[in-house]
Amino acid sequence: MGGMSRPLQLLRVIYGGVRRVGRSPAHVWSFSRPHVWPFNYLEGVSVNARFGVSRGKALAVSVLAAIVTSTLSGSVSALADTNEARSEHWGVIARNTIGSPVADLRDGPYGSYDKTGTYARPPYGQGSLGIAVADNTEKAEFGNEVDFYGDPVLGLKSVGFRVFQTGENAAVGGSANLPNIRFEIDPNLTSLPATDYSSLVWVPAAFPTTYENQWSPYIDATTNGHWFLTGATGGATGCATSCTWAQIKSALDDSGSTGRPTIHTAAVSKGRDDAWHGAIDGLRINQNIYDFEADGVRARRVN
């Protein structure tokens, strides 16, 4: 192969057998571009997936990539000059999963046969988090139990995601049949000093039929739909069923001697209510957008 180095020759042979796919660059439905808000860390992630390149080829490519990096002078990590980060802390939260639902990283989905343009493909990269829940007996939850632990609930400024909704989902459970964003928290309320657990849950508003069978624009959870708190915390705050984002943050901000509310975990959740089959991508938590891909999850810093 002429003057090509042996590591590059091997890489060419391996990639010759791998298919390469092109990549693309309350009650108010808000699709505005979110602002940038500082947080106290950069979370990232990578989990094993059941989809994509075979494990053998992926391992071979990874090993050879390391050889090439060490062989070619000046080679650096692809993350060194980007706003991405990775870690291993995202995955199915087993203790909050009921039945046999699917919550897995995958390629696609792409819009139906009659969909074209921006929303016909995943908003970031070429993958997403696929979710399938059969009925009201099942619950799926995919999240991170490590990186957000101890962060302030009142420090949450920007939250939301993009969703692939289908007409079939709407037919089964109505146009508001969508996944949730859920934070497990320690509410730290002065009125409930012994209560150290509650779930802070976002419920999206009814989904416009315009975006069925394709990807939606960004849905801003701080202006769209409603929030609620589970357990005794919901009753104490008046947010057991429905509060706006501003109301729920105000209710949790009692500034008592027990301290401010803190986060345990962050996740995307579906169930137990109606059957749902679709996908999520671009989960926004403050300055990070979590890009779900078949080979892992990447945190993209918002510029």
Side-chain angles (χ1 to χ4, degrees):
M1 297 185 184
M4 186 180 298
S5 65
R6 181 161 181 75
L8 288 181
Q9 293 177 22
L10 292 173
L11 187 59
R12 190 176 195 180
V13 169
I14 290 176
Y15 267 112
V18 179
R19 179 175 60 90
R20 285 185 277 182
V21 182
R23 293 176 179 263
S24 72
H27 311 100
V28 176
W29 195 260
S30 175
F31 296 132
S32 61
R33 177 172 178 159
H35 297 290
V36 180
W37 296 90
F39 216 45
N40 58 352
Y41 54 81
L42 175 65
E43 316 94 75
V45 308
S46 167
V47 298
N48 292 329
R50 294 199 299 249
F51 302 92
V53 178
S54 69
R55 182 175 300 177
K57 287 180 180 177
L59 179 59
V61 169
S62 298
V63 171
L64 189 54
I67 295 174
V68 171
T69 299
S70 64
T71 302
L72 302 179
S73 60
S75 294
V76 294
S77 166
L79 299 181
D81 58 356
T82 72
N83 289 327
E84 297 182 2
R86 298 170 67 90
S87 85
E88 69 280 10
H89 297 147
W90 289 81
V92 173
I93 299 181
R95 59 187 172 80
N96 292 335
T97 297
I98 301 171
S100 301
V102 172
D104 212 346
L105 301 175
R106 53 161 294 175
D107 283 331
Y110 293 83
S112 300
Y113 56 87
D114 58 341
K115 304 295 182 181
T116 60
T118 302
Y119 301 122
R121 60 176 302 117
Y124 300 94
Q126 65 185 40
S128 66
L129 171 64
I131 298 174
V133 177
D135 53 37
N136 62 4
T137 67
E138 293 193 340
K139 178 185 176 183
E141 187 158 293
F142 187 98
N144 189 317
E145 300 184 79
V146 176
D147 293 328
F148 298 91
Y149 181 72
D151 284 325
V153 173
L154 301 180
L156 290 169
K157 305 294 183 180
S158 298
V159 183
F161 58 37
R162 297 169 190 257
V163 62
F164 190 96
Q165 169 74 313
T166 68
E168 287 77 6
N169 290 333
V172 169
S175 56
N177 180 23
L178 294 162
N180 312 113
I181 294 175
R182 191 165 84 101
F183 295 94
E184 293 178 293
I185 69 170
D186 180 349
N188 269 328
L189 292 177
T190 302
S191 59
L192 296 172
T195 299
D196 60 4
Y197 180 89
S198 179
S199 288
L200 171 62
V201 185
W202 172 57
V203 180
F207 193 90
T209 57
T210 305
Y211 293 107
E212 289 178 358
N213 303 315
Q214 64 180 9
W215 283 97
S216 75
Y218 175 73
I219 307 173
D220 187 346
T222 67
T223 59
N224 170 278
H226 68 273
W227 292 78
F228 69 89
L229 288 158
T230 64
T233 303
T237 59
C239 293
T241 57
S242 178
C243 275
T244 66
W245 178 241
Q247 288 171 337
I248 212 160
K249 289 188 71 177
S250 176
L252 287 170
D253 185 15
D254 69 353
S255 302
S257 59
T258 57
R260 297 291 183 92
T262 58
I263 298 172
H264 292 320
T265 69
V268 174
S269 179
K270 184 66 179 98
R272 293 178 287 175
D273 41 28
D274 296 299
W276 196 84
H277 301 81
I280 295 293
D281 199 18
L283 171 63
R284 175 76 186 268
I285 301 178
N286 280 4
Q287 85 282 18
N288 292 327
I289 293 176
Y290 295 95
D291 171 17
F292 298 113
E293 297 292 334
D295 62 351
V297 184
R298 297 169 184 171
R300 299 176 178 268
R301 180 82 71 164
V302 177
N303 294 320

